[in-house]
PDB file of all heavy atoms in Angstrom:
ATOM      1  N   LYS A 150      -6.676  10.734  15.256  1.00 95.00           N
ATOM      2  CA  LYS A 150      -5.384  11.367  15.704  1.00 95.00           C
ATOM      3  C   LYS A 150      -4.834  12.272  14.530  1.00 95.00           C
ATOM      4  O   LYS A 150      -4.327  13.352  14.748  1.00 95.00           O
ATOM      5  CB  LYS A 150      -4.373  10.280  16.217  1.00 95.00           C
ATOM      6  CG  LYS A 150      -3.004  10.894  16.711  1.00 95.00           C
ATOM      7  CD  LYS A 150      -2.049   9.890  17.109  1.00 95.00           C
ATOM      8  CE  LYS A 150      -0.819  10.490  17.620  1.00 95.00           C
ATOM      9  NZ  LYS A 150      -0.325  11.769  17.228  1.00 95.00           N
ATOM     10  N   ILE A 151      -4.714  11.746  13.349  1.00 95.00           N
ATOM     11  CA  ILE A 151      -4.228  12.457  12.189  1.00 95.00           C
ATOM     12  C   ILE A 151      -5.140  13.723  12.014  1.00 95.00           C
ATOM     13  O   ILE A 151      -4.489  14.939  11.864  1.00 95.00           O
ATOM     14  CB  ILE A 151      -4.249  11.706  10.899  1.00 95.00           C
ATOM     15  CG1 ILE A 151      -3.283  10.527  10.919  1.00 95.00           C
ATOM     16  CG2 ILE A 151      -3.892  12.635   9.719  1.00 95.00           C
ATOM     17  CD1 ILE A 151      -3.324   9.486   9.834  1.00 95.00           C
ATOM     18  N   ALA A 152      -6.442  13.675  12.077  1.00 94.00           N
ATOM     19  CA  ALA A 152      -7.306  14.829  11.969  1.00 94.00           C
ATOM     20  C   ALA A 152      -6.949  15.815  13.021  1.00 94.00           C
ATOM     21  O   ALA A 152      -6.926  17.052  12.800  1.00 94.00           O
ATOM     22  CB  ALA A 152      -8.867  14.391  11.998  1.00 94.00           C
ATOM     23  N   ASN A 153      -6.828  15.364  14.266  1.00 94.00           N
ATOM     24  CA  ASN A 153      -6.425  16.209  15.364  1.00 94.00           C
ATOM     25  C   ASN A 153      -5.091  16.961  15.153  1.00 94.00           C
ATOM     26  O   ASN A 153      -4.923  18.135  15.282  1.00 94.00           O
ATOM     27  CB  ASN A 153      -6.496  15.410  16.701  1.00 94.00           C
ATOM     28  CG  ASN A 153      -6.278  16.282  17.832  1.00 94.00           C
ATOM     29  OD1 ASN A 153      -7.015  17.355  18.040  1.00 94.00           O
ATOM     30  ND2 ASN A 153      -5.328  16.054  18.730  1.00 94.00           N
ATOM     31  N   ASP A 154      -4.100  16.128  14.742  1.00 95.00           N
ATOM     32  CA  ASP A 154      -2.742  16.614  14.521  1.00 95.00           C
ATOM     33  C   ASP A 154      -2.676  17.643  13.427  1.00 95.00           C
ATOM     34  O   ASP A 154      -1.917  18.530  13.511  1.00 95.00           O
ATOM     35  CB  ASP A 154      -1.743  15.598  14.038  1.00 95.00           C
ATOM     36  CG  ASP A 154      -1.466  14.528  15.329  1.00 95.00           C
ATOM     37  OD1 ASP A 154      -1.828  14.821  16.345  1.00 95.00           O
ATOM     38  OD2 ASP A 154      -0.829  13.404  14.889  1.00 95.00           O
ATOM     39  N   TYR A 155      -3.497  17.599  12.469  1.00 95.00           N
ATOM     40  CA  TYR A 155      -3.520  18.594  11.365  1.00 95.00           C
ATOM     41  C   TYR A 155      -4.815  19.547  11.431  1.00 95.00           C
ATOM     42  O   TYR A 155      -4.955  20.323  10.507  1.00 95.00           O
ATOM     43  CB  TYR A 155      -3.687  17.937  10.077  1.00 95.00           C
ATOM     44  CG  TYR A 155      -2.344  17.224   9.687  1.00 95.00           C
ATOM     45  CD1 TYR A 155      -2.033  15.886  10.012  1.00 95.00           C
ATOM     46  CD2 TYR A 155      -1.406  17.881   8.809  1.00 95.00           C
ATOM     47  CE1 TYR A 155      -0.775  15.218   9.759  1.00 95.00           C
ATOM     48  CE2 TYR A 155      -0.232  17.245   8.439  1.00 95.00           C
ATOM     49  CZ  TYR A 155       0.100  16.019   8.869  1.00 95.00           C
ATOM     50  OH  TYR A 155       1.252  15.436   8.600  1.00 95.00           O
ATOM     51  N   ASP A 156      -5.393  19.570  12.707  1.00 94.00           N
ATOM     52  CA  ASP A 156      -6.517  20.546  12.928  1.00 94.00           C
ATOM     53  C   ASP A 156      -7.573  20.357  11.766  1.00 94.00           C
ATOM     54  O   ASP A 156      -7.953  21.441  11.207  1.00 94.00           O
ATOM     55  CB  ASP A 156      -5.948  21.879  13.085  1.00 94.00           C
ATOM     56  CG  ASP A 156      -6.991  22.732  13.756  1.00 94.00           C
ATOM     57  OD1 ASP A 156      -7.798  22.207  14.571  1.00 94.00           O
ATOM     58  OD2 ASP A 156      -6.923  24.032  13.534  1.00 94.00           O
ATOM     59  N   ILE A 157      -8.054  19.230  11.462  1.00 92.00           N
ATOM     60  CA  ILE A 157      -8.902  18.983  10.420  1.00 92.00           C
ATOM     61  C   ILE A 157     -10.313  18.773  10.970  1.00 92.00           C
ATOM     62  O   ILE A 157     -10.470  17.880  11.903  1.00 92.00           O
ATOM     63  CB  ILE A 157      -8.542  17.851   9.399  1.00 92.00           C
ATOM     64  CG1 ILE A 157      -7.253  18.308   8.593  1.00 92.00           C
ATOM     65  CG2 ILE A 157      -9.594  17.396   8.493  1.00 92.00           C
ATOM     66  CD1 ILE A 157      -6.560  17.239   7.908  1.00 92.00           C
ATOM     67  N   THR A 176      -4.551  16.384   4.002  1.00 93.00           N
ATOM     68  CA  THR A 176      -3.973  17.337   4.977  1.00 93.00           C
ATOM     69  C   THR A 176      -3.667  18.651   4.292  1.00 93.00           C
ATOM     70  O   THR A 176      -3.108  19.578   4.999  1.00 93.00           O
ATOM     71  CB  THR A 176      -2.672  16.693   5.560  1.00 93.00           C
ATOM     72  OG1 THR A 176      -1.641  16.588   4.478  1.00 93.00           O
ATOM     73  CG2 THR A 176      -2.813  15.340   6.239  1.00 93.00           C
ATOM     74  N   ASP A 178      -1.271  18.926   2.124  1.00 90.00           N
ATOM     75  CA  ASP A 178       0.014  18.538   1.389  1.00 90.00           C
ATOM     76  C   ASP A 178      -0.089  17.242   0.918  1.00 90.00           C
ATOM     77  O   ASP A 178       0.412  16.842  -0.220  1.00 90.00           O
ATOM     78  CB  ASP A 178       1.105  18.411   2.568  1.00 90.00           C
ATOM     79  CG  ASP A 178       1.674  19.911   2.881  1.00 90.00           C
ATOM     80  OD1 ASP A 178       1.485  20.743   2.212  1.00 90.00           O
ATOM     81  OD2 ASP A 178       2.214  19.958   4.081  1.00 90.00           O
ATOM     82  N   GLU A 179      -0.857  16.185   1.574  1.00 91.00           N
ATOM     83  CA  GLU A 179      -0.857  14.864   0.962  1.00 91.00           C
ATOM     84  C   GLU A 179      -2.151  14.192   1.543  1.00 91.00           C
ATOM     85  O   GLU A 179      -2.732  14.743   2.451  1.00 91.00           O
ATOM     86  CB  GLU A 179       0.394  14.032   1.207  1.00 91.00           C
ATOM     87  CG  GLU A 179       0.815  13.860   2.590  1.00 91.00           C
ATOM     88  CD  GLU A 179       1.980  12.953   2.753  1.00 91.00           C
ATOM     89  OE1 GLU A 179       2.586  12.668   1.737  1.00 91.00           O
ATOM     90  OE2 GLU A 179       2.335  12.725   3.961  1.00 91.00           O
ATOM     91  N   LYS A 181      -3.450  10.938   3.710  1.00 95.00           N
ATOM     92  CA  LYS A 181      -3.027   9.886   4.673  1.00 95.00           C
ATOM     93  C   LYS A 181      -4.196   8.980   4.766  1.00 95.00           C
ATOM     94  O   LYS A 181      -5.309   9.294   5.050  1.00 95.00           O
ATOM     95  CB  LYS A 181      -2.777  10.597   6.017  1.00 95.00           C
ATOM     96  CG  LYS A 181      -1.510  11.436   5.856  1.00 95.00           C
ATOM     97  CD  LYS A 181      -1.107  11.968   7.257  1.00 95.00           C
ATOM     98  CE  LYS A 181       0.084  12.846   7.210  1.00 95.00           C
ATOM     99  NZ  LYS A 181       1.355  12.324   6.760  1.00 95.00           N
TER     100      LYS A 181
END
Side-chain angles (χ1 to χ4, degrees):
K150 183 181 181 328
I151 294 167
N153 187 54
D154 289 350
Y155 286 87
D156 199 25
I157 289 171
T176 68
D178 284 333
E179 63 175 3
K181 296 187 179 288

